Structures are given as structure tokens and as C-alpha cells.
């Protein structure tokens, strides 16, 4: 644990941000004590969390702030979480009960994740990984024909900031787009998308991409029955939350060929265990939760965190 002792406001940063960056956020506010987690166990950080006025959450999800921890954060008035999803990281009901204002970073990663989603679709449709692997090992030879994205029907599950960013990109390919979302489609970003229920979307889509939040209602949204209802030859793309899909059922479905392939950036357990059967499947494109990992997205979220902290300090 890395602490600089000062008097006045206490800021605890649980994300792995460098000290000079965090201190630059508060330098104009005068006396602010900055505490960096530096990978210390949560139990070791509790004394500092108990006296913290402002807490920056952990984007890597190493420090879950449950009801028991939040109840001890009696001095905290602001919790800034530098990511979109709060599931499994912050108990929102407990934070509200403790009088802690929680701010996350919605939309900061929309463009980055949408880019990855298109990468995953194109890589899977053209078997880019397999072509590279075969060329390196077996030399130059003919391969099965790929499919064009513009000839596909894409189903977007969840039409928030990321789903809309995916749709904007698909317009350039001339792709037919279906959408499933509990809210009615509105705005120019929805132009050209047809809203349908989830089961119809699964049955009618060549590619299904998930961009819904993880809640009690969406956990295992795609179970064995719904996976079996996907179109023959279809592809599943998931860069949202691993637990939106029943991973055991997905492995069985991929082995059975429906869906025919998947592209995954998120998993039920992260890091993905070396024993995961997903690693043994040739019809899966896997990346280690990097969809939001661009220089531009990192700068956007850091700027958001800085601005929220400065506004809080300026108001006190």
C-alpha cells in the first residue's frame, strides 16, 4: 500500500493508476491525502477506506465493495467507478443506504467495444484466425469460402450506447439489423434497425451480438434452449458479460454446431481457467477481456474520473 500523509480530504484509489496521475486530479484542491491500493489485500485497505471521503473503484474488479465494506466507509461521500458495469463490484443498494453517491462511466468504451465487435464478426465470418494458423503450419492452400457481413442479418441484444455504436458501423456494410431491447427504439442511431423479441431475433439472425447489462433478469439469458433456437450456421459474439450466456450449455452447443461459431471477450470466470473447454474448440475466437482496451477509451474514462472528482472537491 502506497500512502502519502496529508491533512484534509482523503482519496483512496483502488484502480491501478500511477500516483502522478491521481495527484494531478486533486492538485488544485489543496490538502488531499492520496492512498493507492497498489495491489494490497482488501483487509489491509479497510482502515483507509473507513476514513476516505472519495473512493475510486477498481476497474479490474479486484476489490468488490459489498454491503459489509460500504457500511464501514462512514466518511465516504463519493464513489467513482471507472467502468460501465457495476455488477459484482458495488452493492448499489448498500451504497445508497450509506449515503454514498456512486458515479460510473457509461458510454466511455462504446466505440472501442463496437470496433472489437466488428473485428470479431469479420474474423469469424472469414476464419481469419484459422487462415493465419494454417498458413504458418501447412503452407499456402485453398480454404473454405467465407461469408460477407453485408449479406448477413445481425441481431443486437441490448441497444444502449454500445449496441447503437455497433449498429452505426453495420450501416456501412448494408447489413440487415434486428434488435432486442426492453425499451422502444428511438433516435437517429436506431434508423434501419427492426425491433423484435429475443427468440425471434435468435431464430432469424446469422450473427447475434450481446450488449446487455448483467442483472438477475439477464443472467444466463442465453441458456441451452435459446442456444438451440439459433439459426443454423449462426455466430454468437459476446463482449458484454460472460454470465449472459450459460457457458456450459454454450460449449455443448458449439460442439453440436449450433451456433456454428462464437467470438468471446468475456467469460463466466476471469481470467479464463486453463482447464476451460472453450480453449479446445477450433470454432471459437477468444480474447482476454480487451474489447474496451484502446488508448482513446482509457483517456476518456480517466478524464471522466478527473472531472467528477474535481467537481466534488470544488463543491466542498
Amino acid at each position: 500500500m502506497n500512502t502519502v500523509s496529508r491533512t484534509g480530504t482523503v482519496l483512496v484509489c483502488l484502480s491501478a493508476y500511477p500516483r502522478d496521475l491521481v495527484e494531478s486530479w486533486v492538485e488544485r484542491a489543496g490538502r488531499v491525502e492520496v492512498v493507492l491500493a497498489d495491489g494490497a489485500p482488501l483487509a489491509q485497505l479497510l482502515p483507509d477506506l473507513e476514513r476516505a471521503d472519495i473512493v475510486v473503484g477498481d476497474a479490474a474488479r479486484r476489490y468488490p465493495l459489498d454491503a459489509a465494506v460500504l457500511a464501514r466507509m462512514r466518511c465516504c461521500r463519493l464513489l467513482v467507478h471507472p467502468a460501465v458495469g457495476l455488477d459484482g463490484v458495488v452493492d448499489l443498494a448498500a451504497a445508497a443506504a450509506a449515503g454514498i453517491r456512486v458515479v460510473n462511466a457509461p458510454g466511455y468504451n462504446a466505440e472501442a467495444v463496437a470496433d472489437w465487435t466488428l473485428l470479431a464478426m469479420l474474423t469469424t465470418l472469414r476464419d481469419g484466425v484459422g487462415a493465419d494458423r494454417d498458413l504458418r503450419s501447412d503452407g499456402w492452400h485453398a480454404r473454405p469460402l467465407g461469408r460477407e457481413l453485408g449479406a448477413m442479418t445481425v441481431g443486437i441484444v441490448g441497444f444502449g450506447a454500445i449496441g447503437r455504436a455497433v449498429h452505426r458501423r453495420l450501416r456501412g456494410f448494408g447489413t440487415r439489423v434486428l434488435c432486442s431491447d426492453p425499451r422502444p427504439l428511438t433516435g437517429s442511431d436506431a434508423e434501419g434497425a427492426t425491433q423484435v423479441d429475443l427468440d425471434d431475433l435468435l431464430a432469424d439472425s446469422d450473427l447475434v451480438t450481446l450488449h446487455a447489462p448483467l442483472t438477475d433478469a439477464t443472467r444466463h439469458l442465453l441458456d441451452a434452449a435459446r442456444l438451440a433456437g439459433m439459426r443454423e450456421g449462426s455466430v454468437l459474439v459476446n463482449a458484454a458479460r460472460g454470465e449472459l450466456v450459460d457457458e456450459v450449455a454454450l460449449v455443448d452447443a458449439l460442439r453440436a454446431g449450433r451456433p456454428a461459431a462464437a467470438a468471446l471477450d468475456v467469460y463466466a470466470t476471469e481470467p479464463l481457467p486453463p482447464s476451460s473447454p472453450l480453449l479446445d474448440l477450433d470454432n471459437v475466437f477468444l480474447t482476454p477481456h480487451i474489447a474496451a482496451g484502446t488508448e482513446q477509451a482509457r483517456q476518456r474514462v480517466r478524464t471522466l474520473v478527473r472531472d467528477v472528482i474535481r467537481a466534488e472537491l470544488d463543491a466542498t
Side-chain angles (χ1 to χ4, degrees), residues 12 20 25 41 45 84-85 123 127-128 130 133 162 187 196 215 225 238 250 258 272 289 313:
V12 175
D20 59 349
W25 297 340
L45 295 167
V84 177
T123 297
D127 191 19
R133 182 176 57 240
I162 298 173
V196 297
T215 66
N238 188 8
L250 176 61
R258 185 173 295 196
L272 186 65
H289 204 150
L313 292 172

Side-chain angles (χ1 to χ4, degrees), residues 16 66 79 104 115 147 155 193 203 212 224 230 248 280 290 292 315:
D66 59 19
L79 169 58
N104 65 337
D115 281 357
R147 293 183 287 171
M230 293 182 68
V248 173
D280 298 324
I290 60 168

Side-chain angles (χ1 to χ4, degrees), residues 37-153:
D38 278 353
L42 181 59
Q44 188 175 334
L45 295 167
L46 285 176
D48 287 308
L49 287 171
E50 288 174 348
R51 61 193 185 90
D53 300 280
I54 299 172
V55 173
V56 178
D58 180 28
R61 308 171 72 83
R62 296 164 301 179
Y63 298 108
L65 301 177
D66 59 19
V69 175
L70 289 163
R72 297 178 64 168
M73 293 165 50
R74 296 181 181 89
C75 297
C76 186
R77 58 182 187 265
L78 173 65
L79 169 58
V80 189
H81 187 62
V84 177
L86 294 163
D87 54 282
V89 181
V90 179
D91 185 326
L92 290 176
I100 300 172
R101 183 167 66 100
V102 179
V103 178
N104 65 337
Y108 90 92
N109 62 351
E111 302 303 318
V113 177
D115 281 357
W116 182 93
T117 300
L118 269 290
L119 163 73
M121 290 179 179
L122 292 168
T123 297
T124 306
L125 288 174
R126 301 300 297 267
D127 191 19
V129 173
D132 175 87
R133 182 176 57 240
D134 287 353
L135 180 59
R136 294 173 188 273
S137 61
D138 297 334
W140 193 289
H141 59 83
R143 291 186 52 78
L145 294 175
R147 293 183 287 171
E148 297 175 7
L149 184 52
M152 301 291 101
T153 295

Side-chain angles (χ1 to χ4, degrees), residues 10 58 104 136 164 171 176 179 205 248 256 266 274 307 309:
V10 177
D58 180 28
N104 65 337
R136 294 173 188 273
R164 288 171 181 267
R171 286 178 183 173
R176 176 177 177 242
C179 167
S205 298
V248 173
V266 290
D307 291 348
I309 290 172

Side-chain angles (χ1 to χ4, degrees), residues 245-264:
V245 184
D246 181 337
E247 202 166 275
V248 173
L250 176 61
V251 170
D252 291 340
L254 287 165
R255 286 171 174 162
R258 185 173 295 196
L264 307 174

